[in-house]
Amino acid sequence: QVDLVESGGGLVQSGDSLRLTCRTLGRTMSRLGMGWFRQTPGKEREYVGSINWLTGSAYLGDSVRGRFTISREYSEKTLYLQMNALKPEDTGVYFCAESRLTDGSNQDEYDAWGPGTQVTVSS
């Protein structure tokens, strides 16, 4: 059983940067991957990116590739999402999640989720 806690969200202007942090409370022995997802009211939750916890190999969704970076601090059990060149369409609640099965984009294979942090990008 792990608890995930996101932080770092806020209100920014278009073109600004933010760094989200996801801290883990609990053990990570069975962890294979960590992911970032986001959701806007009225839309389905969207894959942002993910990382293989052991190797550090990172993957990003098409809408954020080239602007966002995922990284992790293995010893601190902390996941990061660096978001640059933010756009209004990046607005949403950002969730981190843990998977024992995947380091990819299938949300159904993530079984621990944080409560989310709000990111709002004004134009």
Side-chain angles (χ1 to χ4, degrees):
Q1 179 69 30
V2 295
D3 289 319
L4 305 175
V5 181
E6 305 94 340
S7 62
L11 172 63
V12 297
Q13 294 187 334
S14 182
D16 285 352
S17 297
L18 276 177
R19 188 175 80 159
L20 304 185
T21 299
C22 174
R23 291 186 169 82
T24 302
L25 305 176
R27 303 174 72 179
T28 60
M29 279 181 55
S30 300
R31 175 178 295 175
L32 175 60
M34 292 286 292
W36 286 103
F37 299 84
R38 66 187 181 190
Q39 188 161 27
T40 302
K43 295 185 178 180
E44 293 188 357
R45 191 163 53 194
E46 176 190 13
Y47 170 76
V48 175
S50 56
I51 191 166
N52 185 295
W53 191 250
L54 299 179
T55 68
S57 296
Y59 315 95
L60 290 165
D62 291 341
S63 62
V64 304
R65 192 174 299 123
R67 299 187 296 123
F68 290 12
T69 304
I70 291 178
S71 62
R72 59 66 167 128
E73 177 54 58
Y74 185 90
S75 62
E76 297 295 324
K77 300 187 290 184
T78 301
L79 176 72
Y80 301 102
L81 180 66
Q82 177 66 44
M83 306 186 293
N84 298 329
L86 282 161
K87 305 176 182 179
E89 51 264 44
D90 294 318
T91 294
V93 179
Y94 283 69
F95 301 90
C96 65
E98 174 191 84
S99 176
R100 294 170 293 171
L101 301 175
T102 188
D103 59 1
S105 61
N106 188 346
Q107 299 184 36
D108 293 339
E109 295 183 328
Y110 287 82
D111 47 25
W113 294 79
T117 185
Q118 175 72 45
V119 172
T120 303
V121 185
S122 63
S123 57

